[in-house]
Every structure is written in structure tokens, then in C-alpha cells.
Amino acid sequence: MNNYIYIAVMAAVSYTIRVLPLTLIRKPIKNQFIQSFLYYVPYVTLAVMTFPAIIHATQTPISGLVALIAGIIAAWLGAGLFPVSVICCVLVFVIELFVK
Amino acid sequence: MNDKFSRKIFCDGMRDGFPIALGYFAVSFSLGIAARHAGFTPMQGFLASLLNNASAGEYAAFTLVAAQATYLEVAIITLIANARYLLMSCALAQKFSPGTPFFHRLIIAYDVTDELFGITIARPGILNPYYTYGAILLAAPAWAGGTACGIIAGNALPLRAVSALSVALYGMFLAIIIPPARKSKIVAALVAISFALSFVCNYLPGVSSLSEGTRTILLTVIISGAAAILFPVKQDAEEAAPVKANDSVQKGDNVNE
């Protein structure tokens, strides 16, 4: 077994999955169900991937949970991508200085 | 047209790509540790990440490689773990103006990831590929470099630093989904339902044994499908916004008027 062939296999599969829809679907989809479905997909996917993963990503669930709540509040108040990320990171870092 | 090169749009992409690159570096650093277990050299890890751009997919594949799996098995696990990118690419295909040159689709397809998809789809109006290129320019090298560093340095970075950096990605996700949730009760409810069901599925016997990627696909299809049936999006609502108005909309969007 050769690592470079493994890499080639992984890369070929990953790229095919991404390029086929992008190149095959050239015209705007008129079907209302599909249109609505695709409109909701990003929000649902990102939400599903955020929770509960965020509380498992940190060393203690508490710091992850606080980061989640603070991130929601900051984003709700209009903070952009970078500020929200920084707030979450700093909170986790500070909390884990105290909670272990 | 809105798909031409503009320095401002490219820089916007780099600005939004910066936190992504930061988070990528941290995540792919730990991915590098898995790659080392699979016997990858730093160069091989760099290549694998540069060509795959997939956290869960690469992790799953590295684990199989470490267990000396066949090429076919690695292909299948990559397909399953990355299947959600198929959905994302479908959604992205709709963001392209029919007039945008074809080759942009081939380049954008290189780096459809959760995060880059998130910031690209969050831009109002049609897709300007140069925005995404700006983000990719920072994100892709950080992802590949982080993997290589992870293989080299192993556990050198303090655990607390890795822990703090790892929430950067989730913070970004929140910044993408919360502002629309504030504007639309339906999106807000969907986010809450997605959180709840994802939590339940994480612990429910049977379902929890599925891989994270598979659970993400199932939940996405079920929740989005139900929402599309119950709350169809009015076709005109999105198209009504004239392309010309995009720049002013984008400026306003960051401060969330």
C-alpha cells in the first residue's frame, strides 16, 4: 500500500463530489421545493455541526458551552465573523485557566 | 456584472478567510497527529490536506490507512464523510450567475468546505468567485500547513491553546447562522431544532454510532426537507433584490443594520 495512492484516491473522491453538482447544475432551479430546501440547507448543516460538537471540542464542556452562548449573543448583536471567533476563543482560554 | 475581479471584494474574502485560516490551522494541527499515526510524512500530510480540504473526511481516511485498509475502503469512507459537500455544491451552483465563466466552477469546487461554503452563501446576491478565492488563499495553505506542522510537532502545542483555537470555527458558524435567525423566525426555529436534534442524535443509542458526517447528512436532509415543505421560500423574495444593490446590502450586512 502506497501513501501517495491513498492521497490520490482521497483527492479524486473529494473533488468529484464537489465538482459534479457545480458543473452539472448550470441553470437556476425553478422547482420551489428544491429551491426552499437548498435555501435552508446551510443554516441547518452549520447548526447541526456546531452543537453539541462545540462542547466536545474544548477540554471542559463548561468552557464550550459558555463560548456557544457568548457567540450567539455576540452574533445576535451584530458582531462579524472574526470578532465572534475571537470572543469564543478568549473565553475558552480564560475559563480553562480556572476550570480544569 | 458582479462576478468580475475587484480588489475590495478579494480583500473582503481575505478578511473573512482570516479567522477560518486560524481555525483551520488549529484543527488540521490535530489532524496531523492522526496522519502521523497513519505513517504519513509531513510532505504527504501537506499534500493530503492541500488536495482534500476535508476535516472529517481526512480524519476518517487516515484512521483507515492506519489500519491498512484497501484503496476502495478509503474511497468509500471519503465519499460518505464528505457527502454533505454534495449538498453544499448544489446550493452553491445556484449562487452562480449563468453568465459567470465556466472555469470558476472548477476552481470553486476545489475548496467547498463547511466554513468557506458558509461565508460564500452568506453573501447576498450572485456569487463573485473572487471573494471566495480571497478566503481560499489564506485558508487552504493554513489547512495544509497545519497538518504538516501537526505531523512534525505532534503534541508540542499546549493543549489549552489547541482547546481555545478549536472553537474559532464554531464561533464563525454562529456568526453566519445567527444574524439571519434574528431576521427570520423560521430560520431561528430551524437553528434551535437543529441544535436540539443534533444533541439528541449524539446520545441516542443506535443513531449515535453512525459517523458524525452521516448524522450531519441525515439531519440536514430531514430538517431542511421538512422546512421546505412546511415553509416554502417565496421565489421572488431572493430574486427581487436587484444585483446592482448588492454592494450597499453587503456593507450594511456586516453591521447588521
Short mmCIF file of all heavy atoms in Angstrom, two decimals, chain A residues 5 10 12-13 19 24 26 29 31 33 35 43-44 47 54-55 58 60 63 66-67 75 79 86 88 94 96-97:
data_model
loop_
_atom_site.label_atom_id
_atom_site.label_comp_id
_atom_site.label_asym_id
_atom_site.label_seq_id
_atom_site.Cartn_x
_atom_site.Cartn_y
_atom_site.Cartn_z
N ILE A 5 -0.83 6.84 -3.32
CA ILE A 5 -2.06 6.36 -3.98
C ILE A 5 -3.26 6.62 -3.08
O ILE A 5 -4.32 7.05 -3.54
CB ILE A 5 -1.93 4.86 -4.34
CG1 ILE A 5 -0.75 4.66 -5.28
CG2 ILE A 5 -3.23 4.36 -4.98
CD1 ILE A 5 -0.53 3.23 -5.71
N MET A 10 -8.23 9.67 -2.19
CA MET A 10 -8.98 10.63 -1.37
C MET A 10 -9.28 11.91 -2.15
O MET A 10 -10.40 12.41 -2.15
CB MET A 10 -8.18 10.99 -0.11
CG MET A 10 -8.04 9.88 0.92
SD MET A 10 -6.65 10.22 2.06
CE MET A 10 -7.24 11.67 2.92
N ALA A 12 -9.32 12.44 -5.41
CA ALA A 12 -10.22 12.25 -6.55
C ALA A 12 -11.67 12.20 -6.08
O ALA A 12 -12.55 12.84 -6.67
CB ALA A 12 -9.85 10.96 -7.28
N VAL A 13 -11.94 11.46 -4.99
CA VAL A 13 -13.30 11.35 -4.49
C VAL A 13 -13.80 12.71 -3.98
O VAL A 13 -14.89 13.16 -4.31
CB VAL A 13 -13.39 10.30 -3.36
CG1 VAL A 13 -14.78 10.28 -2.74
CG2 VAL A 13 -13.05 8.92 -3.90
N VAL A 19 -17.32 18.88 -7.53
CA VAL A 19 -17.35 19.50 -8.85
C VAL A 19 -18.59 19.08 -9.64
O VAL A 19 -19.09 19.85 -10.46
CB VAL A 19 -16.04 19.19 -9.63
CG1 VAL A 19 -16.10 17.82 -10.29
CG2 VAL A 19 -15.76 20.28 -10.65
N LEU A 24 -22.75 20.36 -13.26
CA LEU A 24 -23.93 19.79 -13.92
C LEU A 24 -25.16 20.68 -13.77
O LEU A 24 -26.01 20.72 -14.64
CB LEU A 24 -24.23 18.39 -13.37
CG LEU A 24 -23.16 17.34 -13.68
CD1 LEU A 24 -23.56 15.97 -13.16
CD2 LEU A 24 -22.90 17.27 -15.18
N ARG A 26 -26.34 23.92 -14.16
CA ARG A 26 -25.91 25.20 -14.73
C ARG A 26 -27.01 26.23 -14.72
O ARG A 26 -26.77 27.42 -14.76
CB ARG A 26 -25.44 24.98 -16.18
CG ARG A 26 -24.31 23.97 -16.30
CD ARG A 26 -23.00 24.59 -15.86
NE ARG A 26 -22.64 25.65 -16.76
CZ ARG A 26 -22.09 25.45 -17.96
NH1 ARG A 26 -21.81 24.24 -18.35
NH2 ARG A 26 -21.79 26.47 -18.73
N ILE A 29 -32.58 26.59 -10.63
CA ILE A 29 -33.62 25.60 -10.38
C ILE A 29 -34.93 26.33 -10.13
O ILE A 29 -34.99 27.25 -9.31
CB ILE A 29 -33.24 24.73 -9.17
CG1 ILE A 29 -32.00 23.90 -9.49
CG2 ILE A 29 -34.41 23.83 -8.77
CD1 ILE A 29 -31.43 23.15 -8.30
N ASN A 31 -37.92 24.65 -9.44
CA ASN A 31 -38.76 23.90 -8.50
C ASN A 31 -38.71 24.53 -7.11
O ASN A 31 -37.64 24.71 -6.53
CB ASN A 31 -38.26 22.46 -8.45
CG ASN A 31 -39.09 21.60 -7.53
OD1 ASN A 31 -39.15 21.86 -6.33
ND2 ASN A 31 -39.72 20.60 -8.09
N PHE A 33 -39.77 23.46 -4.18
CA PHE A 33 -39.33 22.63 -3.06
C PHE A 33 -37.80 22.59 -3.00
O PHE A 33 -37.19 22.82 -1.96
CB PHE A 33 -39.88 21.21 -3.18
CG PHE A 33 -39.27 20.27 -2.16
CD1 PHE A 33 -39.67 20.32 -0.84
CD2 PHE A 33 -38.27 19.38 -2.53
CE1 PHE A 33 -39.08 19.48 0.11
CE2 PHE A 33 -37.68 18.54 -1.59
CZ PHE A 33 -38.10 18.59 -0.27
N GLN A 35 -35.68 24.60 -4.33
CA GLN A 35 -35.18 25.94 -4.03
C GLN A 35 -35.22 26.22 -2.52
O GLN A 35 -34.25 26.70 -1.95
CB GLN A 35 -36.05 26.95 -4.76
CG GLN A 35 -35.25 28.02 -5.42
CD GLN A 35 -36.13 29.03 -6.12
OE1 GLN A 35 -37.31 29.17 -5.79
NE2 GLN A 35 -35.56 29.72 -7.06
N TYR A 43 -28.10 26.75 6.86
CA TYR A 43 -28.36 27.06 8.27
C TYR A 43 -28.46 25.78 9.09
O TYR A 43 -27.91 25.68 10.19
CB TYR A 43 -29.65 27.87 8.40
CG TYR A 43 -29.62 29.12 7.57
CD1 TYR A 43 -30.54 29.34 6.54
CD2 TYR A 43 -28.63 30.09 7.77
CE1 TYR A 43 -30.48 30.48 5.76
CE2 TYR A 43 -28.56 31.22 7.00
CZ TYR A 43 -29.49 31.42 5.99
OH TYR A 43 -29.42 32.53 5.21
N VAL A 44 -29.16 24.80 8.54
CA VAL A 44 -29.35 23.55 9.27
C VAL A 44 -28.02 22.82 9.43
O VAL A 44 -27.67 22.39 10.53
CB VAL A 44 -30.39 22.66 8.56
CG1 VAL A 44 -30.46 21.29 9.21
CG2 VAL A 44 -31.75 23.33 8.57
N ALA A 47 -25.76 24.58 11.92
CA ALA A 47 -26.28 24.46 13.29
C ALA A 47 -26.04 23.05 13.82
O ALA A 47 -25.58 22.87 14.95
CB ALA A 47 -27.77 24.80 13.30
N ILE A 54 -19.34 21.73 19.77
CA ILE A 54 -18.55 22.78 20.41
C ILE A 54 -18.21 22.44 21.87
O ILE A 54 -17.14 22.76 22.36
CB ILE A 54 -19.26 24.15 20.32
CG1 ILE A 54 -18.35 25.28 20.79
CG2 ILE A 54 -20.58 24.17 21.09
CD1 ILE A 54 -18.85 26.68 20.50
N ILE A 55 -19.11 21.72 22.54
CA ILE A 55 -18.81 21.40 23.95
C ILE A 55 -17.89 20.19 24.07
O ILE A 55 -17.37 19.90 25.14
CB ILE A 55 -20.10 21.20 24.80
CG1 ILE A 55 -20.94 20.05 24.27
CG2 ILE A 55 -20.92 22.47 24.87
CD1 ILE A 55 -22.08 19.69 25.20
N THR A 58 -13.68 21.45 23.42
CA THR A 58 -12.87 22.07 24.47
C THR A 58 -12.50 21.04 25.53
O THR A 58 -13.04 19.93 25.55
CB THR A 58 -13.64 23.23 25.11
OG1 THR A 58 -14.94 22.76 25.46
CG2 THR A 58 -13.78 24.38 24.14
N THR A 60 -13.08 21.24 28.75
CA THR A 60 -14.21 21.02 29.64
C THR A 60 -15.48 21.49 28.93
O THR A 60 -15.44 22.48 28.20
CB THR A 60 -14.08 21.80 30.98
OG1 THR A 60 -14.78 23.03 30.83
CG2 THR A 60 -12.65 22.07 31.34
N SER A 63 -16.55 25.38 29.32
CA SER A 63 -15.97 26.46 28.51
C SER A 63 -16.59 26.47 27.12
O SER A 63 -16.84 27.53 26.55
CB SER A 63 -14.45 26.31 28.44
OG SER A 63 -14.10 25.04 27.94
N VAL A 66 -20.12 28.02 27.44
CA VAL A 66 -20.05 29.48 27.60
C VAL A 66 -19.71 30.13 26.27
O VAL A 66 -20.30 31.15 25.88
CB VAL A 66 -19.02 29.86 28.68
CG1 VAL A 66 -18.80 31.37 28.70
CG2 VAL A 66 -19.47 29.38 30.05
N ALA A 67 -18.76 29.54 25.53
CA ALA A 67 -18.38 30.08 24.22
C ALA A 67 -19.58 30.07 23.28
O ALA A 67 -19.80 31.02 22.52
CB ALA A 67 -17.23 29.27 23.63
N ALA A 75 -23.16 37.42 18.03
CA ALA A 75 -23.63 37.41 16.64
C ALA A 75 -25.00 38.06 16.54
O ALA A 75 -25.31 38.76 15.58
CB ALA A 75 -23.68 35.96 16.12
N ALA A 79 -22.04 41.33 15.75
CA ALA A 79 -20.60 41.15 15.57
C ALA A 79 -20.32 40.27 14.35
O ALA A 79 -21.08 39.36 14.05
CB ALA A 79 -19.99 40.52 16.82
N VAL A 86 -13.07 35.39 17.92
CA VAL A 86 -12.10 35.79 18.95
C VAL A 86 -12.73 35.73 20.34
O VAL A 86 -12.11 35.22 21.29
CB VAL A 86 -11.55 37.21 18.65
CG1 VAL A 86 -10.74 37.73 19.84
CG2 VAL A 86 -10.71 37.19 17.39
N CYS A 88 -15.11 33.83 21.37
CA CYS A 88 -15.23 32.42 21.77
C CYS A 88 -13.88 31.87 22.23
O CYS A 88 -13.79 31.22 23.27
CB CYS A 88 -15.78 31.58 20.61
SG CYS A 88 -17.49 31.94 20.19
N VAL A 94 -9.61 31.71 28.85
CA VAL A 94 -9.67 32.27 30.21
C VAL A 94 -10.36 31.29 31.17
O VAL A 94 -9.86 31.02 32.27
CB VAL A 94 -10.40 33.63 30.20
CG1 VAL A 94 -10.67 34.10 31.62
CG2 VAL A 94 -9.57 34.66 29.44
N GLU A 96 -10.60 28.12 31.00
CA GLU A 96 -9.81 26.91 31.27
C GLU A 96 -8.58 27.19 32.12
O GLU A 96 -7.90 26.27 32.56
CB GLU A 96 -9.46 26.22 29.95
CG GLU A 96 -10.71 25.64 29.30
CD GLU A 96 -10.43 24.79 28.08
OE1 GLU A 96 -9.28 24.71 27.65
OE2 GLU A 96 -11.41 24.21 27.56
N LEU A 97 -8.31 28.49 32.36
CA LEU A 97 -7.26 28.81 33.33
C LEU A 97 -7.75 28.48 34.74
O LEU A 97 -6.97 28.18 35.63
CB LEU A 97 -6.91 30.30 33.27
CG LEU A 97 -6.13 30.81 32.06
CD1 LEU A 97 -5.93 32.31 32.14
CD2 LEU A 97 -4.76 30.13 31.99
#
